[in-house]
Amino acid sequence: MGKTLLQKVWDLHKVRTLPSGQTQLFIGLHLIHEVTTPQAFDALRQRGWKVARPDRTFGTVDHIVPTRERARPFLDVLAEDMIAALERNCRDFGVRLAGLGDDRQGIVHVIGPELGLTQPGMTIACGDSHTSTHGAFGAVAFGIGTSQVRDVLASQCLAMEPLKVRRIRVNGMLPAGVYAKDVILAIIQRLGVSAGVGFAYEFAGDVVERMTMDERMTICNMSIEGGARVGYVNPDRTTFDYLKGRPFAPSGEAFDRAVAWWTSIASDTDAVYDDDVEIRAGELTPIVTWGVNPGQSIGVTAAVPTGKEPGADPTAVADALRYMGLQPGAPIAGLKVDVAFIGSCTNSRLSDLREAAKVVQGRHVAPHVKALVVPGSAQVKQAAEREGLDEIFRQAGFEWRGAGCSMCLGMNPDKLEGNQVCASSSNRNFKGRQGSPTGRTLLMSPAMVAAAAVTGEVTDVRELV
Ligand code: SF4
C-alpha cells in the first residue's frame, strides 16, 4: 500500500513516539519573527541554553513593523522593543535575521519561499498560524505557539499529534475572475471551519496541478482556516522550477539530486486517504465572506443567509449578521466599503498585485475609500516597482507601503477605525481582527478588493475585467 507525502515526511522526521502517543518530530526549518519569540529566547537565557540549530533557524520582522514611517526608534514603543529584542536575540544566539532595511525582509511566509529556504520534504515550524503556506512546496509546515517556539529553539524538535489526511481534488476549469482565493474560500465554505481538525489537507486535482506556486501558497495558507493543521501540494516541475536559482536552494548537481529526492516524497498513486473530496472548479464564482469566520461566505452575486437555510445555525448566523450590520437575505454586492486592503501572507505576492493592478488601471479609488497595497516582502515591492505597478496603484489613489503584515491583524499602526467595513485580501475576518473591536472584514481575492476600492462597494470583478 502506498503512502501519502504526509506519512513519508512524518516517518523521515520522527525521532520517537512519546509516552503521550505524540510524535517527537525533527524540524528542518524554524522561521521566527518579532512577536512570538521574546519570551522563548528569555526562557533559553534563564536556563543558559543555546539555540540547538541556528543553521536551521531564520528570522525576519513583519507583524508589528510600521509599513509607512520606518525611522528608528519607532513611535510605537512596543514595536521598537520587540524589534530590538529580536535583533539582540538573533545576534546573541547566532541566528540569521532579515531585519528592517535588509532587502530580504518581509512577511515570514512570503520570504521563506522566495529565498528558497522552504523546500519539499521539509518539516517547517513558525510561531504563526499560517505557516501552512509552506505546504505549497510539499513541506509539512505547522503554526506553533510561543512555548513551542521555545521548544524548537532549544531542541529543534516538536511534539505533535499524528494527523489523518484528507485529499481535496479541485478538477475542471476555473471560470474567468475566479482565483485561488476563491477556491480555498469555497473549500472552507463547503467543509466548514472545523472539518479539518485532526487532518492534513492534501490539495490535488488538475486545477491545483496547473496552479502557479503563488496560487498554491494561497490555498495552503488558508488550510488552517478550515481547521487543518497543515495543507500541502505534492511537489512537481512547477515547484522545482520556482526553487531553481533561489539563494538557499541547492544548486548545480545538488539541485538535480534534490529534485530526485523531492520527487520521491510525493504521495504514491496508490496512497490511501482518510477522506477524499472533489470540488468542481467550473461551478465556482468570486466569493466574499459575509460573517465573522472564513466559512461564512457566499458567491458575490448571492444574498447573505437568513439563518433558515437547511443545516444553518440560526444563532450563529444572527450573531454574525448583527456584528456585520447586515440584513438577513440582503445581497452582498453593493455593500459599501470604507477601506480596501491588498496584502497579507495570503495575497501579497507579485502575481496578486498584478491581478489587482489590471482592475485598477485607468480607474480611481472611490472618494470615500481608503485603499492601501502592502507588498509581502521587500523583494515583491522592488519587483512590482520595476514593472510600474506602484505607479498604477498610486495614480489610482492607493497608498503604496513597505512590506509587513499591516492590516491583516491590526498589531501595527494599520488598523480599522470604529465599525469601518474593509474589503480585504487577508485570511481572517474574526471580530476585531483588523484592529478595531467593531471593525468589519470582508475576505475576498485581491482582484475583488481592487474592484471594491474603485467602485466603493462590493462588486463582481467580472463586471470590470
Ligand atoms: S500576514 Fe497575517 S496571517 Fe500572515 S503572518 Fe502576518 S499576521 Fe500572520
Side-chain angles (χ1 to χ4, degrees):
M1 192 166 64
K3 284 177 161 185
T4 62
L5 177 144
L6 180 96
Q7 290 162 337
K8 293 183 191 182
V9 174
W10 197 276
D11 291 347
L12 284 165
H13 291 80
K14 179 175 174 173
V15 179
R16 61 184 170 136
T17 301
L18 298 167
S20 63
Q22 293 176 303
T23 305
Q24 183 182 2
L25 276 186
F26 180 76
I27 298 301
L29 174 66
H30 187 197
L31 295 165
I32 61 172
H33 59 83
E34 74 278 23
V35 170
T36 48
T37 50
Q39 293 126 310
F41 277 110
D42 284 350
L44 262 63
R45 255 198 201 90
Q46 283 161 15
R47 292 166 173 83
W49 292 348
K50 292 186 162 70
V51 171
R53 293 297 298 264
D55 57 322
R56 290 187 175 273
T57 312
F58 194 96
T60 190
V61 291
D62 52 7
H63 282 62
I64 208 166
V65 291
T67 60
R68 186 161 39 196
E69 182 47 68
R70 293 189 184 232
R72 304 283 296 270
F74 302 134
L75 292 174
D76 178 352
V77 176
L78 179 63
E80 181 59 37
D81 286 352
M82 277 191 166
I83 304 275
L86 185 64
E87 291 167 342
R88 187 173 59 251
N89 288 328
C90 286
R91 203 171 45 241
D92 292 354
F93 287 89
V95 171
R96 297 159 295 176
L97 174 67
L100 270 191
D102 189 316
D103 68 5
R104 301 170 303 173
Q105 178 265 335
I107 304 176
V108 65
H109 310 313
V110 176
I111 68 156
E114 77 182 6
L115 294 175
L117 288 161
T118 301
Q119 294 171 20
M122 272 184 171
T123 46
I124 299 179
C126 174
D128 182 273
S129 311
H130 295 84
T131 306
S132 54
T133 311
H134 305 263
F137 291 77
V140 172
F142 305 100
I144 55 176
T146 297
S147 57
Q148 291 171 304
V149 170
R150 175 203 58 204
D151 295 347
V152 180
L153 286 174
S155 68
Q156 203 60 29
C157 290
L158 203 51
M160 296 294 303
E161 302 287 345
L163 295 168
K164 294 184 279 188
V165 183
R166 172 175 292 132
R167 180 170 61 173
I168 301 175
R169 288 170 298 131
V170 188
N171 287 322
M173 293 293 289
L174 287 178
V178 177
Y179 298 88
K181 182 64 159 286
D182 302 301
V183 171
I184 188 62
L185 284 172
I187 290 169
I188 299 168
Q189 181 193 84
R190 175 160 154 194
L191 300 180
V193 290
S194 48
V197 174
F199 280 90
Y201 279 177
E202 176 178 310
F203 297 104
D206 49 28
V207 170
V208 176
E209 285 165 18
R210 286 193 300 270
M211 279 183 174
T212 64
M213 290 314 298
D214 285 7
E215 293 172 312
R216 293 177 186 182
M217 283 188 257
T218 295
I219 58 169
C220 289
N221 172 278
M222 289 192 68
S223 312
I224 187 77
E225 303 306 334
R229 193 69 201 271
V230 306
Y232 68 85
V233 176
N234 284 305
D236 61 9
R237 181 49 54 193
T238 304
T239 322
F240 312 146
D241 289 347
Y242 177 100
L243 286 171
K244 193 162 196 172
R246 304 256 165 197
F248 290 96
S251 58
E253 283 180 22
F255 184 82
D256 298 335
R257 282 198 304 277
V259 166
W261 185 70
W262 293 341
T263 305
S264 75
I265 53 103
S267 294
D268 296 324
T269 49
D270 58 347
V272 176
Y273 294 89
D274 299 287
D275 192 23
D276 212 342
V277 173
E278 186 178 19
I279 303 284
R280 304 302 309 168
E283 296 165 6
L284 302 183
T285 58
I287 289 181
V288 183
T289 58
W290 56 266
V292 292
N293 70 55
Q296 292 179 320
S297 69
I298 45 173
V300 64
T301 54
V304 304
T306 60
K308 295 182 183 146
E309 295 75 13
D313 175 345
T315 310
V317 170
D319 174 68
L321 290 177
R322 198 176 315 112
Y323 180 85
M324 295 299 290
L326 293 168
Q327 292 301 316
I332 194 79
L335 177 67
K336 192 174 160 221
V337 305
D338 306 297
V339 178
F341 168 59
I342 297 174
S344 89
C345 57
T346 315
N347 282 126
S348 62
R349 296 177 181 83
L350 187 58
S351 56
D352 298 316
L353 306 192
R354 283 181 183 148
E355 289 302 318
K358 280 186 209 164
V359 178
V360 163
Q361 189 151 30
R363 298 189 168 99
H364 203 279
V365 169
H368 66 276
V369 174
K370 172 189 166 95
L372 61 162
V373 180
V374 186
S377 69
Q379 293 197 8
V380 169
K381 185 169 191 270
Q382 286 166 14
E385 289 172 356
R386 281 196 295 274
E387 291 183 15
L389 300 183
D390 58 324
E391 273 311 303
I392 293 172
F393 286 116
R394 279 204 184 96
Q395 282 174 14
F398 279 80
E399 296 176 31
W400 178 252
R401 300 291 190 83
C405 296
S406 183
M407 208 175 262
C408 173
L409 83 168
M411 194 180 257
N412 52 71
D414 303 337
K415 292 181 171 67
L416 294 186
E417 293 170 11
N419 66 353
Q420 283 181 321
V421 174
C422 180
S424 178
S425 71
S426 55
N427 45 51
R428 283 194 168 156
N429 53 341
F430 301 161
K431 293 176 181 176
R433 169 74 177 181
Q434 292 188 287
S436 164
T438 50
R440 296 171 286 173
T441 304
L442 307 171
L443 302 178
M444 58 187 81
S445 71
M448 283 282 287
V449 176
V454 297
T455 62
E457 58 188 35
V458 175
T459 299
D460 187 342
V461 69
R462 296 171 298 184
E463 295 168 7
L464 300 190
V465 292

